Amino acid sequence: FVGNPNNPTGTIVTKGELAALMSALPEDTILVMDEAYYEYVADAEYPDSLALVREGRTVIVLRTFSKIFEDLCAGGAADRVRDDDAGADGGAGASARAVQRERCGAGGSAGESG
């Protein structure tokens, strides 16, 4: 079981380290990769563990949408769309804010009712 990136340290298992681990594991051993925070990693050395799954290796990759939802409710998705990108008809900026209000309540934060 490998948390990548590790929580709470944020350290990663690199491509080379994962390759070394995979070559050392017996073929009948299942490697579980917990990648709950993968979307926060920008390091070029972060491995594509889903490629191992596509290759038929004995790897299970765990990911979650909760962090994405949390970001949306905290305003991350709506804030990334500039207000002036919305255009005369409301456009993308208005759409992102509408989704945020619909999913998270009028206040825009998880747990608030609207």
Side-chain angles (χ1 to χ4, degrees):
F1 190 92
V2 177
N4 200 28
N6 184 33
N7 181 19
T9 66
T11 57
I12 67 166
V13 172
T14 65
K15 293 175 185 178
E17 292 167 334
L18 182 58
L21 175 62
M22 289 303 299
S23 65
L25 287 177
E27 286 190 28
D28 61 346
T29 300
I30 299 171
L31 175 64
V32 177
M33 298 290 296
D34 179 357
E35 297 185 344
Y37 295 94
Y38 82 98
E39 66 269 8
Y40 296 107
V41 179
D43 193 318
E45 283 301 306
Y46 190 76
D48 178 8
S49 57
L50 289 177
L52 298 171
V53 174
R54 287 188 290 275
E55 292 170 8
R57 305 293 300 268
T58 54
V59 176
I60 297 173
V61 179
L62 306 175
R63 291 186 175 174
T64 178
F65 290 108
S66 66
K67 307 302 178 289
I68 297 166
F69 181 77
E70 210 172 83
D71 190 38
L72 176 66
C73 291
D79 290 343
R80 287 190 190 108
V81 180
R82 293 177 29 197
D83 287 341
D84 59 357
D85 288 341
D89 63 350
S95 296
R97 285 185 295 280
V99 168
Q100 181 187 24
R101 282 191 302 277
E102 178 183 321
R103 300 243 169 98
C104 307
S109 295
E112 291 183 21
S113 60

